[in-house]
Amino acid sequence: MTSSSREDELMTAKSLQVLHYLIKPVQPINLLEKINNVFS
């Protein structure tokens, strides 16, 4: 999760093969859904 939406950070995430990311502010339901996906 990041508080920035800078393009270079998104490119870094892709180069590290990060499949999903959240940008703040995050709605609680979205955060819970992503956490559940990680542990499923």
Side-chain angles (χ1 to χ4, degrees):
M1 182 170 16
T2 182
S3 60
S4 174
S5 61
R6 293 181 8 181
E7 186 65 28
D8 59 329
E9 292 180 2
L10 300 177
M11 295 301 291
T12 300
K14 287 182 181 183
S15 73
L16 295 172
Q17 299 180 349
V18 173
L19 299 177
H20 304 283
Y21 53 87
L22 298 171
I23 298 173
K24 290 191 224 177
V26 177
Q27 297 297 319
I29 191 68
N30 292 338
L31 180 58
L32 183 58
E33 179 182 307
K34 297 302 180 190
I35 291 171
N36 283 333
N37 288 344
V38 167
F39 291 106
S40 295

